[in-house]
Amino acid sequence: MRDLVIQTDFGLKDGAVSTMYGVAYGVSDKIRISELTQGITPFNIFEASFRLFQTVKYWKPGTVFVSVVDPGVGSNRKSIVAKLKTGQYVVTPDNGTLTHVAEAFGVEAVRVLDETIQRLPGSENSATFLGRDIYAYNGAKLASEIVTFDEIGKPLAPTEVVTIPLEEAQLVDNVIEGTVEITDVNFGSLWTNISESLWQDAFQAKLGANYLVRIFNHGSIKFEREIPFVKTFADVDPGDDLIYINSVGSVGVAIRMGNFEKVNQVSAGPEWTIEIKKSEG
């Protein structure tokens, strides 16, 4: 069986996601459907992009991802299928969803779907549920090998795909400057774009040492505190802050058995930045 993995901002309170499953299984019963998440913050393309990056590499080559976070549904933005250099495929609106996987893994080739004809039969008059009519339908056709990647649409140069500008974390005057890219949804930890290698190169960071953390929103400071760098949550007491290396190999900031995002009223996205430097104490 080939795998089809679905990500949306639809939630699970109505039948939208189940409908996409039904369409996909109607195309072929020789595929296996799994969920990445249906809990992307509504309209948050940046978050969808990160969740793909977080997940794609753990699925075998040939896996087809359908990612539908589509605030421009029905407009003239393209519907595309991308083949990553790691061998997985992503069927998605061309609106920036490929940003992180393009940066991390590379896009080998892209095809553009014709929304007027490459769609669920009988859906021609519908313009607002393309997750069902375009993405699940074509994703299932690709996953089941009813069509090949080369047959599924017209070529588009990977360099023409829409991406969101990503700022690179950097060391400036002994301060690491980065972006809070995402939150750990259930626990409120902040995940930054500061790689473990930059963290160690900049500070030769030692477990137990304190670092001054500042978090900004649109340049306005929202948080400032000294926090210890530790290996895991159990290395601090419940309710205490910590800096750690998260599961994707970047610097995270958290509260043990607490929600850092809610407690400190901070969040994530391109407008949320972070500075970390060695404690002077």
Side-chain angles (χ1 to χ4, degrees), residues 150-171:
D150 290 338
E151 296 169 337
I152 204 166
K154 294 182 179 179
L156 178 72
T159 54
E160 294 184 33
V161 169
V162 173
T163 56
I164 301 166
L166 293 179
E167 297 293 333
E168 186 174 347
Q170 57 184 336
L171 181 67

Side-chain angles (χ1 to χ4, degrees), residues 199 205-211 227-231 235-236 243 279:
W199 173 249
K206 294 182 179 180
L207 296 175
N210 286 330
Y211 295 84
I227 302 177
F229 171 53
V230 298
K231 186 174 181 62
D235 293 332
V236 300
I243 300 170
S279 172

Side-chain angles (χ1 to χ4, degrees), residues 52-193:
L52 280 174
F53 154 72
Q54 182 183 357
T55 308
V56 158
K57 66 180 179 180
Y58 297 103
W59 288 81
K60 64 181 181 293
T63 299
V64 177
F65 288 80
V66 168
S67 181
V68 188
V69 178
D70 193 13
V73 63
S75 69
N76 61 359
R77 59 94 192 94
K78 300 179 182 70
S79 291
I80 58 175
V81 184
K83 181 179 181 180
L84 305 183
K85 291 183 179 179
T86 46
Q88 300 86 355
Y89 300 92
V90 184
V91 187
T92 187
D94 182 22
N95 59 11
T97 303
L98 293 176
T99 298
H100 284 86
V101 292
E103 176 76 16
F105 311 127
V107 175
E108 180 177 313
V110 180
R111 297 277 165 167
V112 179
L113 299 171
D114 184 339
E115 293 184 4
T116 63
I117 57 174
Q118 290 179 279
R119 61 186 301 136
L120 179 69
S123 70
E124 291 76 15
N125 292 328
S126 174
T128 60
F129 193 3
L130 301 191
R132 174 196 65 192
D133 301 336
I134 304 293
Y135 302 114
Y137 178 70
N138 285 285
K141 291 181 72 174
L142 181 61
S144 62
E145 300 182 307
I146 291 174
V147 296
T148 67
F149 176 74
D150 290 338
E151 296 169 337
I152 204 166
K154 294 182 179 179
L156 178 72
T159 54
E160 294 184 33
V161 169
V162 173
T163 56
I164 301 166
L166 293 179
E167 297 293 333
E168 186 174 347
Q170 57 184 336
L171 181 67
V172 179
D173 295 331
N174 297 314
V175 177
I176 297 180
E177 299 176 351
T179 301
V180 182
E181 290 205 299
I182 206 80
T183 62
D184 186 336
V185 175
N186 285 328
F187 304 107
S189 306
L190 307 187
W191 288 15
T192 76
N193 68 337

Side-chain angles (χ1 to χ4, degrees), residues 247-259:
S247 61
V248 298
S250 65
V251 171
V253 184
I255 296 176
R256 183 184 175 189
M257 298 181 70
N259 189 305

